Amino acid sequence: MTVTYSSKVANATFFGFHRLLLRWRGSIYKLLYREFLVFALLYTIVGLIYRWVLTDPQKRLFEKLSLYCDKYAEQIPVTFVLGFYVTLVVNHWWNKFMNMPWPDRLMVLISSCVRGQDEQGRLLRRTLMRYVNLISLLVFRSISTAVCKRFPTFDHVVEAGFMTPEERKVFENINSPHFKSWIPAVWFTNLAYKARQEGRIQDDVNLQAIVSELNRYRTGCTTLFLYDWVGIPLVYTQVVTLAVYTFFSACIIGRQFLDTTQGYPGHEVDLYIPIFTLLQFFFYSGWLKVAEQLINPFGEDDDDFESNWCIDRNLQVSMMAVDDMHMNLPPMTKDIYWNDPDVRPPYTLAAADYCIPSFLGSTTDMGLSELLHGEDINIQEAGQPDSVLANMRRLLSVQEPMDVRARPSFKRHNSDISSFFSFVPDQHSHHRQETGVATNGHAPPPMLKSLSTVQEVPSVHSSDSDTHSPSHADLPTVVVCEPLGDLSASPAHEPSVSVPVPDTEHEQQSAGEAGGADSPSGDCRRLRGRSPSHRRGRRQLSFQLSRLGSRTSVRSLPSPKDALQKGFLPGPSSPGKSAPQETLLFSSCSTPQAPGPVGP
């Protein structure tokens, strides 16, 4: 049986593998100690002859031969050839193990589908399972030396109870020069069909399930037989073996310690014992021994498969499953969690550390503050890429280029909060009631009561033919109104929309009348300003949802005082000349907020 050490390495500990190095059964020391002793003995004999037997002229000749062997031995691709070969052997070894025949699925089907608790039903089930085990026995006899030693002839098979004398006569009378492990499979299918006709198998579905599982079992046995027939090509095994032994044969001469007085490169020290050469032999030859042991796991090595144990186990378990366990059910009782909806099996004190909560997803513990974390992202126009120049324009409130057309722009937060709250754009979203109820009649969401809605980036389109306005008239004046009063009375927020500013005074007056008729006096003014009649550009106001108290939102716009000091806003009007001034007020407050002067 394969040497098992899984319990020794269940936990990764400091020097956890040191206990494995002292094991003898299945170890590399047991496989390699003979070859290692032979290599060390040959190296010692050659070294003694070089030091004590050869004369000086003969020593010089041997030294040239040693340097030559050491130089050209490294050209043998031992690592490449041996590594690929061992990988191929390990893959074959694992595939053989995965195709080992286990009759567990088939015996469960036979025990449940072949009915009858009488003597005939019991005989039928046991005969079916005996044919199944006979298939694997015939295959193991042909590929495993240990099984072949146990059952060398068919007399031993009959004596062991896998075959009756009558079945042996029928088996031997079938004239076929090929391997006859298929005969018990045919007996099995014929007997299963007979049971179906007698009503022992109730329907064709159960019969098909039994036959399909038998074919699967038979396929595994045939695969093992084919691996034994066609293995790894012999030429590859010969190449690897010759490469390893030729390399170390050259090392016996080429790795000798030469006379230090001759000044040969790499031979400045005489250590007598080639430590690293011995380690190299241990690793490479051990690698080859691993392939030698795994190339046929049905032999008698320590790590080979215990085929005899598999035969004994399969026969005993399968017979018990279809005979003693057939319709043998324990009485049904209520489990200990009968009236307990919260089923939690107990933990021992040693296993208390393994009681952990269930994993519900990586975003389960994320709150709204984490969702809204990060800087606000303003996209100037739909389809326009966000660049460093665009960020500078937003920071300095510089107006957009001439060719940009005023069109609706929907801003969004970088946390994409719009995916959590469904908003419906409203052309009159700025009309709010003092009670904080939205125009659609619904109360604001609870989580939005802690959010402010103030941030505006106006875009003013100037005309090239305008010569009456001063140079600083193109820059807008922005005043941010902080939230006032109780935040719970703040109206519901709506998504980012773009509202065009009326081009003429008539349109402004109409908009004001329409808004004033519906909104109470306690509301804040949405738009207030005066524009020359000859300027017919359209202003775009972008609203963006931001976090309450977010310093990032405040920093994204310059304050009026700082903008005035830096020259971004116009100063006091000089006598005889009036500079156009625009004051934009947007707030989520519930009390009126009078617009203050922009400049001093």
Side-chain angles (χ1 to χ4, degrees), residues 8-128:
K8 303 296 183 180
V9 293
N11 299 321
T13 59
F14 185 68
F15 283 127
F17 281 1
H18 73 282
R19 294 185 298 270
L20 304 178
L21 300 178
L22 303 178
R23 302 178 64 123
W24 176 256
R25 183 172 179 269
S27 64
I28 189 61
Y29 320 117
K30 184 178 180 180
L31 282 177
L32 196 62
Y33 76 95
R34 300 179 185 87
E35 290 82 355
F36 186 82
L37 291 178
V38 171
F39 176 79
L41 181 61
L42 292 176
Y43 183 90
T44 303
I45 292 175
V46 173
L48 292 177
I49 293 175
Y50 164 69
R51 296 173 185 272
W52 303 103
V53 177
L54 299 180
T55 61
D56 289 342
Q58 293 175 344
K59 287 183 178 180
R60 303 291 85 81
L61 182 62
F62 179 82
E63 290 167 358
K64 293 180 181 180
L65 178 63
S66 177
L67 294 175
Y68 176 81
C69 292
D70 186 34
K71 177 180 179 181
Y72 289 99
E74 298 297 335
Q75 297 183 3
I76 301 176
V78 180
T79 305
F80 173 76
V81 174
L82 190 58
F84 187 78
Y85 179 73
V86 173
T87 302
L88 184 61
V89 169
V90 171
N91 290 335
H92 274 241
W93 169 77
W94 184 249
N95 289 335
K96 291 175 183 178
F97 176 75
M98 295 304 296
N99 285 279
M100 289 284 289
W102 304 102
D104 296 56
R105 298 176 59 177
L106 193 54
M107 69 185 186
V108 170
L109 282 175
I110 292 176
S111 178
S112 60
C113 297
V114 180
R115 303 301 177 88
Q117 295 182 343
D118 55 347
E119 191 72 19
Q120 183 65 23
R122 180 185 178 188
L123 178 62
L124 178 61
R125 290 188 298 272
R126 292 181 67 92
T127 304
L128 289 174

Side-chain angles (χ1 to χ4, degrees), residues 178 190 214 218 315 320 368 373 389 401 404 422 460 503 546:
H178 306 292
N190 293 336
L214 173 68
R218 168 66 181 161
L315 181 64
M320 180 179 292
L368 183 61
H373 181 69
L389 182 58
V404 179
S422 58
V460 181
D503 295 335
S546 61

Side-chain angles (χ1 to χ4, degrees), residues 118-360:
D118 55 347
E119 191 72 19
Q120 183 65 23
R122 180 185 178 188
L123 178 62
L124 178 61
R125 290 188 298 272
R126 292 181 67 92
T127 304
L128 289 174
M129 288 311 304
R130 185 165 55 82
Y131 289 157
V132 171
N133 288 277
L134 180 59
I135 296 173
S136 59
L137 176 61
L138 295 177
V139 173
F140 280 135
R141 283 184 69 251
S142 62
I143 65 176
S144 175
T145 57
V147 177
C148 187
K149 290 180 179 179
R150 183 182 179 184
F151 304 100
T153 63
F154 278 99
D155 294 335
H156 297 83
V157 175
V158 174
E159 183 181 357
F162 289 91
M163 183 183 296
T164 62
E166 293 78 9
E167 293 171 350
R168 178 189 175 184
K169 293 180 181 179
V170 176
F171 186 87
E172 292 178 347
N173 290 332
I174 298 176
N175 296 324
S176 177
H178 306 292
F179 185 54
K180 294 188 291 186
S181 64
W182 52 271
I183 296 178
V186 176
W187 292 347
F188 181 95
T189 55
N190 293 336
L191 187 59
Y193 181 74
K194 181 180 178 181
R196 172 70 184 96
Q197 288 181 331
E198 294 177 355
R200 301 284 182 174
I201 300 177
Q202 292 185 353
D203 49 30
D204 295 336
V205 176
N206 294 334
L207 177 62
Q208 182 181 4
I210 293 175
V211 174
S212 298
E213 192 59 36
L214 173 68
N215 290 331
R216 179 180 173 275
Y217 183 86
R218 168 66 181 161
T219 300
C221 295
T222 306
T223 303
L224 294 180
F225 180 78
L226 295 178
Y227 270 119
D228 183 73
W229 176 33
V230 180
I232 299 176
L234 179 62
V235 291
Y236 198 6
T237 304
Q238 292 175 345
V239 167
V240 175
T241 305
L242 289 175
V244 173
Y245 284 100
T246 302
F247 175 78
F248 287 107
S249 298
C251 289
I252 292 177
I253 301 176
R255 299 294 178 87
Q256 292 288 336
F257 290 98
L258 303 180
D259 190 359
T260 57
T261 60
Q262 301 298 320
Y264 296 114
H267 294 272
E268 293 82 6
V269 182
D270 190 0
L271 297 179
Y272 297 97
I273 299 176
I275 299 177
F276 290 98
T277 302
L278 294 177
L279 290 176
Q280 194 174 20
F281 177 83
F282 187 82
F283 298 147
Y284 283 178
S285 297
W287 213 354
L288 182 63
K289 279 295 180 180
V290 169
E292 181 180 343
Q293 185 180 28
L294 299 182
I295 194 171
N296 184 12
F298 295 102
E300 301 178 44
D301 297 326
D302 292 337
D303 276 319
D304 287 344
F305 303 151
E306 286 289 348
S307 303
N308 286 318
W309 175 87
C310 292
I311 293 173
D312 298 340
R313 181 262 175 194
N314 292 342
L315 181 64
Q316 194 272 336
V317 171
S318 61
M319 289 299 181
M320 180 179 292
V322 299
D323 191 4
D324 298 339
M325 294 300 297
H326 176 67
M327 301 303 294
N328 186 3
L329 299 175
M332 292 189 298
T333 58
K334 295 181 180 180
D335 56 86
I336 61 175
Y337 307 105
W338 182 260
N339 293 322
D340 187 5
D342 188 11
V343 179
R344 293 185 180 181
Y347 284 81
T348 61
L349 185 61
D353 294 338
Y354 302 102
C355 183
I356 59 175
S358 300
F359 179 74
L360 301 178

Side-chain angles (χ1 to χ4, degrees), residues 498-545:
S498 299
V499 180
V501 179
D503 295 335
T504 62
E505 296 179 355
H506 176 71
E507 294 177 357
Q508 295 178 6
Q509 184 177 2
S510 300
E513 293 175 357
D518 299 330
S519 59
S521 60
D523 287 357
C524 293
R525 299 292 299 273
R526 271 74 59 191
L527 180 62
R528 182 173 178 270
R530 178 172 56 88
S531 177
S533 59
H534 60 271
R535 293 172 55 92
R536 298 191 179 275
R538 303 190 64 182
R539 285 92 170 161
Q540 179 182 355
L541 306 178
S542 302
F543 305 92
Q544 181 177 4
L545 187 63

